[in-house]
Amino acid sequence: MSGYRPEPDSTATPTDTRGGCFHCGLPIPGGANYPVLFEGRERPTCCPGCQAVAGAIIERGLGAYYHHRPTPPGQAGEPLVPDELRELELFDTEAVQRSFVTPAADTGDGSRLEAALILEGITCAACVWLNERHVQSLPGVIAFSINYSTHRARLVWDPERIALSEILKAIRDIGYHAHPYDPGTREQAIARERGIALRRIGVAALGMMQVMMLALAIWLGEDDPQHADLMQFMRWVAAALTTPVVFYSAIPFYQSAWRDLRQRRLGMDVPVSLAIIVTYVASLYAVLLGTGEHVYFESVVMFVFFLLTSRYLELIARQHASQAIDRLDRMVPALAHRLDAGGQEEPVALGDLIPGDHVRVRPGESVPADGVVVQGRSTINRALLTGEPDPEPVAAQDEVVGGTVNVDGPLVIEVRRVGAETTLAAIQRLLDRAQSEKPRIARLAETGTGWFVGAVLLLTALAGLVWYAWIDPSRALWVMVAMLVATCPCALALATPVALTATTGTLSRLGLLVTRGRTLEALARVDTVCLDKTGTLTEGRPRVVAQNDHVAPPPGQDWRAWAAALEAHSEHPLSRAFREAGAASDVTARAVHNEPGSGLTGEIEGCKVAIGGRGMLSQTEPPAAEAPVDNSFASPIWLVVDGEPVATFWLADTPRPEAAETVATLSARGLEVILLTGDRPEAGQRFAEHLGIDRFHGGLTPEDKLRHVRELQAEGRTVLMAGEGINDAPVLAGADVSLAMGGGTRLAQTQADLVLTSDRLDRLPEALDQARRTTRIVRQNIAWAIAYNVVALPIAAAGLLTPWLAALGMSMSSLLVVGNALRLRPGRDRVVAPREHDSRAPTEAPASPPG
């Protein structure tokens, strides 16, 4: 859909309504008075509906519709609403939004919505700034941020205050095109963008080769009066060959500059456009005068060619930088094999699947959506999601994630989540948020770009005045052009976005999702790592290793079944141990409440029941119960019925195989590792000693963990907190950097800055190293961009740079910045080594109570 809007002219008049309704052309009933104001005159309409539609068309700047529709309204099937307005309003329908709109993560109740969009027409970082500022100024828009490398945008808005179609129209009004993100559509847009760029480069290259040959002849014959007419003829030919380069190849620079000026902003393409136009007009003027001097057509074509080429290479580099993220889009198949009631297969588009459908997935095929296995046994390769190469076995009742690959046998899967609700879509939204949010150093560079351009324009005018008045008036214009070209702040704008995209993609290959833009900057400064125990340092699969009954259970029942009935309502890792132990029981709990950091309360068979750690015992002293001899690390959990402890359960968990090595690696890098656990202090101490952790705190509530983190921050520490359970959400939110394990609860992951989808804790030191490399390279890029401009400006002002050489230098500066950022990508697709399984029996470790 084009952003072009025809303007009414003096010769065009609204289509004749023959005394009928201005909008639909039907007769106006007697007594109807529904006027609309159009071009200073009131126009009659037949009803409130036509009045409202006509008013909307006029208010949205589409009034030219009434001048240019080919038939009288209401005749020959002429639409009563312009197609472009109708197309945008389709995006407000629930059926269309279902595939790409979700409740915003910070609300979840539907009061705010979130959508992923793709923007066409983005050519530089200034385009990103312009769109973000324009859209964020709209009432009802909560957040709007664009990833410069992928052109994907994250939009959060209040549907009660503004419609999605209004936001899309606002983007179109400033010359860009936005539509819902779709992998296929994006690939088409990329192919179209590359095709247009190549055509413009081709025209510029052809013009440059021809003009350079002519320029060489003109230079050699400039002092030969016998061939003056031939020289003038060649200048005219050069002017003709330069014209398509200026008026076709250079169009993107003019469009970007015009958008910036319309928004009263000095973007980086403003000096570029000035340099192209001024050089071309001045050279053409010299040819018209026949002076033969100061003709720089070769500088114009070389300038445009170098700029277009450098931006095309930047485009390719940005696409390479985002490959690791784009691969997520290609993980889900386009078609699924849906089974009907009779078990017959039918191929359907992925968008036609709904929860409850059964689909067959053959070996080698990708799972089309999140679901649960209802038939078959196989193994699932989750490498692209987690970085783990080893397939995992699945059978009936096991959950599978859309985008993973079925390896061995056929499976029948019941679809549970589709479209924007799938795990893959959630991961993509987290990555979008991370890349579109800008770290502090990037915001400073972006803010300074406009001021830098303004300063350059002022210094250029001053230098031109000095040259014209005191040095050499004939060279003043070309000195100014060289200054405009050489100091274009393209490299400064590219310094951060490409590096962030490359690093985010690299970490995603390791099974680490960066969910916020500020994360990498803070992660590079981390000096203290606080670790929760259950599900973080342990595998999160505790089991009941012993049980002490202090009161006899009701006849025919077991206290473990009562505990399982309560834990069935919890997402805490410990609840799995009880659910598995009491899976066959028919005991049910009612009115269950989660007490974060303590446990659960509820009612069973008319009794008030609670389960949890020491905090659930109130003032009651825990009954005497010794830890099992063969599991001295085991932790106690108490079941309380009507205020009386009736049973003690001893739970133990297995440390992660890589936990001790991870702690040692972090310590060797100079970081202090601290264990914060809700487990009893004695068990926490033994566990810390087992892993080589020198500092620990046990028996902590969530508030205690947050207090310890605050105390560390008050000492000037930069703290990373890693946790898993819902009770870790407060401390994750309070840490400088937070990491949630991939098996953690949704709330914990929502609060976290990093999500470890692979559950491989040894990825944490790699993430710290990558963050430090990223920060170092971003600083190198910004330092280079500033240093280049500081050096280039006085050289150009001194008249030592020709315009074409300035263009070459500026282009090489931008490419150097992009190339430096691409060093953050791995040299080849990383193959993640499988875990080394210890031949010894796993050491049982204490499990924390719920808290």
Side-chain angles (χ1 to χ4, degrees):
M1 181 175 58
S2 172
Y4 170 72
R5 182 189 306 135
E7 297 294 338
D9 55 63
S10 59
T11 61
T13 58
T15 307
D16 185 14
T17 60
R18 293 182 173 85
C21 174
F22 174 69
H23 180 66
C24 71
L26 297 177
I28 299 178
N33 184 25
Y34 304 105
V36 293
L37 186 64
F38 181 62
E39 296 183 350
R41 290 176 52 193
E42 283 193 350
R43 315 285 179 147
T45 61
C46 63
C47 64
C50 284
Q51 183 188 42
V53 173
I57 292 172
I58 295 168
E59 288 174 4
R60 297 183 184 193
L62 299 172
Y65 161 74
Y66 293 110
H67 288 273
H68 296 274
R69 53 183 175 184
T71 61
Q75 301 180 22
E78 169 71 9
L80 299 181
V81 179
D83 288 341
E84 58 182 346
L85 188 59
R86 187 191 304 274
E87 180 181 341
L88 289 179
E89 289 179 344
L90 284 176
F91 292 119
D92 295 331
T93 62
E94 182 178 352
V96 173
Q97 290 189 0
R98 189 178 300 125
S99 62
F100 69 97
V101 175
T102 59
D106 57 346
T107 59
D109 58 1
S111 62
R112 294 179 179 178
L113 299 179
E114 180 175 336
L117 305 175
I118 189 77
L119 266 72
E120 296 184 34
I122 299 290
T123 60
C124 63
C127 298
V128 173
W129 183 93
L130 175 61
N131 276 276
E132 288 179 344
R133 181 165 181 174
H134 180 65
V135 174
Q136 287 173 354
S137 67
L138 300 175
V141 173
I142 310 302
F144 184 71
S145 50
I146 302 170
N147 176 6
Y148 175 47
S149 295
T150 63
H151 297 180
R152 287 186 61 162
R154 173 178 175 263
L155 170 67
V156 180
W157 80 101
D158 183 351
E160 297 295 326
R161 299 177 60 195
I162 189 170
L164 179 59
S165 61
E166 296 179 80
I167 300 173
L168 299 180
K169 180 186 177 299
I171 295 173
R172 190 202 62 193
D173 286 345
I174 58 173
Y176 299 87
H177 180 59
H179 51 80
Y181 177 78
D182 174 75
T185 304
R186 178 172 184 263
E187 290 180 2
Q188 293 174 7
I190 289 175
R192 184 166 58 250
E193 183 180 2
R194 291 175 66 168
I196 293 173
L198 285 173
R199 285 196 295 272
R200 297 189 191 280
I201 290 174
V203 172
L206 185 62
M208 182 184 71
M209 289 187 292
Q210 303 302 320
V211 172
M212 284 300 297
M213 286 191 295
L214 291 169
L216 180 61
I218 292 172
W219 291 339
L220 294 175
E222 187 173 7
D223 296 328
D224 187 356
Q226 296 181 358
H227 297 91
D229 293 341
L230 179 60
M231 295 299 104
Q232 183 67 5
F233 172 74
M234 285 193 289
R235 293 187 190 101
W236 277 110
V237 174
L241 292 171
T242 304
T243 299
V245 176
V246 172
F247 290 101
Y248 173 71
S249 296
I251 283 178
F253 307 125
Y254 310 147
Q255 290 174 332
S256 178
W258 177 241
R259 292 172 192 140
D260 287 332
L261 293 174
R262 285 177 58 190
Q263 298 297 315
R264 298 180 181 180
R265 179 181 183 271
L266 292 175
M268 65 183 66
D269 281 335
V270 171
V272 169
S273 299
L274 279 175
I276 295 172
I277 293 171
V278 167
T279 307
Y280 175 75
V281 171
S283 299
L284 188 61
Y285 181 71
V287 172
L288 288 172
L289 292 180
T291 62
E293 297 181 1
H294 310 306
V295 176
Y296 286 93
F297 291 121
E298 75 283 354
S299 294
V300 176
V301 292
M302 290 180 69
F303 179 31
V304 174
F305 174 76
F306 286 144
L307 266 183
L308 289 175
T309 302
S310 68
R311 291 198 178 180
Y312 180 77
L313 293 176
E314 290 165 14
L315 170 67
I316 300 301
R318 286 189 280 109
Q319 291 172 4
H320 281 307
S322 63
Q323 276 180 351
I325 298 162
D326 292 341
R327 69 194 168 95
L328 294 176
D329 298 328
R330 297 187 288 270
M331 290 169 64
V332 179
L335 296 176
H337 304 290
R338 185 168 60 189
L339 302 179
D340 59 21
Q344 298 297 314
E345 282 188 23
E346 61 169 339
V348 297
L350 194 65
D352 293 336
L353 291 180
I354 60 174
D357 282 346
H358 284 197
V359 295
R360 177 171 285 125
V361 183
R362 299 183 179 88
E365 294 181 343
S366 295
V367 178
D370 292 0
V372 62
V373 177
V374 295
Q375 182 182 327
R377 299 177 65 88
S378 183
T379 56
I380 293 289
N381 188 334
R382 305 176 69 230
L384 290 178
L385 279 176
T386 66
E388 295 289 342
D390 297 333
E392 300 177 3
V394 294
Q397 303 307 312
D398 287 338
E399 292 188 355
V400 290
V401 175
T404 54
V405 179
N406 182 21
V407 178
D408 293 327
L411 296 172
V412 176
I413 296 171
E414 179 182 333
V415 176
R416 294 287 177 86
R417 292 182 295 275
V418 297
E421 299 296 328
T422 62
T423 300
L424 197 61
I427 290 174
Q428 189 68 72
R429 286 195 296 273
L430 291 176
L431 290 174
D432 284 342
R433 182 175 70 180
Q435 294 188 43
S436 57
E437 290 180 354
K438 300 176 178 64
R440 181 180 57 84
I441 193 170
R443 291 195 300 270
L444 289 175
E446 187 179 79
T447 303
T449 299
W451 291 101
F452 177 81
V453 171
V456 165
L457 292 177
L458 185 61
L459 290 174
T460 299
L462 182 61
L465 180 62
V466 170
W467 272 87
Y468 186 82
W470 290 289
I471 303 177
D472 184 354
S474 65
R475 296 186 59 194
L477 178 63
W478 311 116
V479 169
M480 294 172 65
V481 169
M483 290 180 65
L484 291 174
V485 173
T487 55
C488 175
C490 298
L492 188 62
L494 289 167
T496 302
V498 179
L500 292 182
T501 300
T503 284
T504 304
T506 299
L507 291 178
S508 71
R509 290 177 183 269
L510 299 178
L512 260 168
L513 297 182
V514 181
T515 69
R516 301 184 189 279
R518 63 173 178 81
T519 299
L520 293 172
E521 193 174 17
L523 188 61
R525 301 195 308 269
V526 165
D527 52 27
T528 306
V529 178
C530 296
L531 301 171
D532 183 40
K533 182 168 68 62
T534 302
T536 303
L537 290 170
T538 67
E539 294 186 344
R541 293 190 292 270
R543 59 188 180 88
V544 179
V545 296
Q547 175 178 342
N548 304 126
D549 290 347
H550 311 298
V551 176
Q557 296 191 25
D558 180 39
W559 290 130
R560 190 174 298 190
W562 284 46
L566 280 175
E567 295 288 358
H569 297 267
S570 173
E571 296 184 43
H572 196 278
L574 297 184
S575 64
R576 301 190 198 109
F578 289 99
R579 288 201 299 267
E580 294 169 1
S585 172
D586 57 358
V587 178
T588 58
R590 304 178 184 277
V592 178
H593 296 283
N594 181 20
E595 305 290 340
S598 298
L600 299 166
T601 62
E603 295 182 6
I604 299 178
E605 297 184 2
C607 300
K608 294 183 178 180
V609 186
I611 187 170
R614 179 68 177 80
M616 278 299 182
L617 299 178
S618 301
Q619 302 300 320
T620 307
E621 285 298 320
E626 295 186 1
V629 176
D630 57 342
N631 281 286
S632 59
F633 283 175
S635 301
I637 299 292
W638 288 277
L639 179 69
V640 180
V641 177
D642 290 333
E644 180 182 2
V646 298
T648 302
F649 303 98
W650 294 89
L651 279 74
D653 199 356
T654 304
R656 294 184 183 274
E658 71 280 3
E661 180 184 355
T662 300
V663 170
T665 302
L666 293 172
S667 299
R669 281 167 166 72
L671 283 80
E672 182 175 11
V673 181
I674 302 173
L675 174 64
L676 301 179
T677 176
D679 197 3
R680 56 196 178 100
E682 298 82 4
Q685 180 179 4
R686 286 194 292 271
F687 185 79
E689 292 172 352
H690 176 73
L691 294 183
I693 299 175
D694 297 329
R695 185 174 174 183
F696 77 95
H697 299 281
L700 303 180
T701 65
E703 292 75 16
D704 293 333
K705 294 180 182 179
L706 181 58
R707 177 174 52 80
H708 279 288
V709 168
R710 296 293 192 208
E711 290 174 355
L712 292 168
Q713 291 171 331
E715 297 173 7
R717 305 280 193 94
T718 301
V719 181
L720 180 146
M721 177 70 200
E724 195 219 34
I726 191 171
N727 58 309
D728 291 323
V731 68
L732 289 176
D736 296 291
V737 181
S738 53
L739 182 146
M741 307 302 290
T745 62
R746 185 174 298 272
L747 178 59
Q749 294 185 20
T750 300
Q751 296 285 350
D753 302 313
L754 291 163
V755 178
L756 191 61
T757 60
S758 64
D759 277 350
R760 291 283 299 271
L761 199 60
D762 53 356
R763 298 289 176 252
L764 179 55
E766 296 184 52
L768 289 164
D769 292 343
Q770 184 73 10
R772 290 171 179 174
R773 283 196 298 270
T774 302
T775 301
R776 185 167 60 250
I777 282 180
V778 167
R779 288 175 177 168
Q780 288 172 359
N781 284 349
I782 291 178
W784 164 256
I786 293 175
Y788 165 77
N789 282 283
V790 167
V791 172
L793 188 63
I795 292 178
L800 301 178
L801 276 182
T802 60
W804 72 267
L805 191 59
L808 180 61
M810 186 270 293
S811 300
M812 295 303 297
S813 174
S814 299
L815 292 178
L816 180 64
V817 164
V818 172
N820 191 39
L822 290 182
R823 292 195 297 124
L824 292 166
R825 296 177 65 235
R828 55 183 174 84
D829 287 356
R830 182 187 179 112
V831 178
V832 183
R835 297 177 187 267
E836 295 182 2
H837 297 283
D838 199 332
S839 60
R840 299 170 295 175
T843 304
E844 296 292 348
S848 303

